[in-house]
Amino acid sequence: MKKLLLAGAAALGLAIAPAAQAALVDVTTVTIPGGLPGNAAAIFVFTEAADTSTLSWSQDGFATTNLLFNNNSDPIGTIAPPSFPVPLGFGAPGNIAFRLDNQSFPQVLDTGVQYLAPSTNTLVYAAKASFNYADFGQGALPAAAAAAIATVQAARPGSSIVFIGFEDRVLCTTGAPLNCPTVPDFDYNDLIYAFDVTVANVPAPAALGLFGMGLLGLAGVARRRRT
């Protein structure tokens, strides 16, 4: 599967693969490459899930888990970490995994992993991304989320925002009604968050330029859809 690299050598890298739904792309890996480390913040943007789920990140295969949001208890517009503008605190360059833990229907879904979805008999990724919130088909960006994004970007001029949405029940099937009362709809709006990335010790224009590689890549996906 062809992948696009959504960052430059010193910024956050997001490896993604073309997807059929709108301009959304599969999130296959998230990486801090070698070179200048990237700093980041996350913003809780939207949820349309009846289930309660938590979102967390890890750099050690979830031997250590760092909680970001709970879609049932955290309000839209919550910024992580709570100590912002202190960044999330990624360690050494390398892969970062994000995990959606559906606590209502016990199911743990990680970025970078393909799952066999029995309801469609296809291999799927649990998360999709776009630089444009409208691609998720949920209307206007919620006011609280827009205000939080503005707060983050005011604190770190030149940062770039990517939206990532999870599907929370990719393994559900119609053949197991007692364990899975609903079939996954693959709309990737069960928990949507915005991920802000800046590059340490790099002037804002340079940081934006480094991230611009990915902007162009996603723009190419959008252009192909229109033609």
Side-chain angles (χ1 to χ4, degrees), residues 73-227:
S73 60
D74 288 324
I76 299 299
T78 297
I79 301 173
S83 56
F84 178 83
V86 175
L88 285 174
F90 295 142
N95 287 347
I96 306 162
F98 291 96
R99 168 172 289 178
L100 184 82
D101 184 352
N102 185 334
Q103 299 173 349
S104 300
F105 174 76
Q107 184 170 140
V108 174
L109 301 166
D110 295 346
T111 54
V113 178
Q114 279 190 302
Y115 300 90
L116 176 63
S119 60
T120 59
N121 197 33
T122 56
L123 287 173
V124 298
Y125 288 98
K128 293 185 184 290
S130 176
F131 283 101
N132 185 1
Y133 175 74
D135 289 336
F136 289 92
Q138 302 305 311
L141 183 66
I149 290 171
T151 297
V152 168
Q153 293 195 302
R156 295 212 289 274
S159 61
S160 297
I161 294 287
V162 63
F163 295 93
I164 300 177
F166 268 90
E167 173 62 40
D168 64 356
R169 287 190 173 193
V170 302
L171 302 183
C172 299
T173 70
T174 54
L178 295 179
N179 294 321
C180 184
T182 60
V183 179
D185 50 17
F186 299 108
D187 54 9
Y188 295 89
N189 64 3
D190 295 312
L191 196 158
I192 300 175
Y193 63 103
F195 199 57
D196 151 88
V197 182
T198 59
V199 182
N201 303 318
V202 176
L208 192 59
L210 287 169
F211 212 74
M213 246 171 67
L215 289 170
L216 293 175
L218 276 177
V221 173
R223 281 197 302 271
R224 284 196 294 274
R225 285 184 60 250
R226 291 194 297 265
T227 57

Side-chain angles (χ1 to χ4, degrees), residues 36-73:
L36 297 175
N39 292 329
I43 302 102
F44 183 25
V45 170
F46 182 85
T47 183
E48 195 180 70
D51 295 353
T52 295
S53 297
T54 59
L55 180 72
S56 57
W57 66 272
S58 178
Q59 283 189 278
D60 59 10
F62 290 96
T64 304
T65 297
N66 305 278
L67 180 66
L68 290 173
F69 309 116
N70 181 308
N71 73 334
N72 189 42
S73 60

